[in-house]
Amino acid sequence: MPLGLLTFHHFYSKQKLVALRALAKKHALQGIFKRGRPGMLLITGPDEDSVGRCITAVKRMRWQRVEVRGVAPRLWLQLPGRDGELVESERVRDVVAVAREWGGGEVERWVKVCMGFGGEEEGAG
């Protein structure tokens, strides 16, 4: 189940949240997001195509700034929810904690590198 990590200048819109939840259901994705400033979305799906289609659709939405921080086709994140479910987080550190808890140290390190929290590697996975 590949991973995708996106960040947003800000994410407050209820309409965009509804659209993200619809994309998650359509592509059988799971994920965790953080609203506010900065906004953040960590998604995982059954295959690289599903994650890629979701990222493409998110980038087409109107944002002040959206960045794809990384796509990792070989990393695994198994969230406790069902496919098509997105869970909200209040803080960036909670997203990192979920990455560690449900994906292990390698996923946690990847998220941190993608976010620029340390390491010399690139987040492309």
Side-chain angles (χ1 to χ4, degrees), residues 44-86:
T44 186
D47 54 53
E48 202 171 345
D49 287 341
S50 297
V51 171
R53 285 192 299 272
C54 179
I55 289 171
T56 298
V58 170
K59 286 175 59 178
R60 286 184 181 146
M61 293 178 187
R62 181 177 221 117
W63 301 96
Q64 183 170 340
R65 189 184 80 232
V66 59
E67 287 185 58
V68 178
R69 293 294 189 117
V71 176
R74 292 174 295 280
L75 290 181
W76 180 270
L77 180 67
Q78 183 60 52
L79 296 170
R82 299 181 310 260
D83 287 348
E85 189 172 342
L86 295 177

Side-chain angles (χ1 to χ4, degrees), residues 24-45:
K25 280 188 187 270
K26 179 179 178 179
H27 297 293
L29 303 172
Q30 291 181 305
I32 182 167
F33 66 94
K34 180 202 167 290
R35 290 192 355 174
R37 184 173 176 180
M40 187 172 182
L41 175 64
L42 176 63
I43 54 172
T44 186

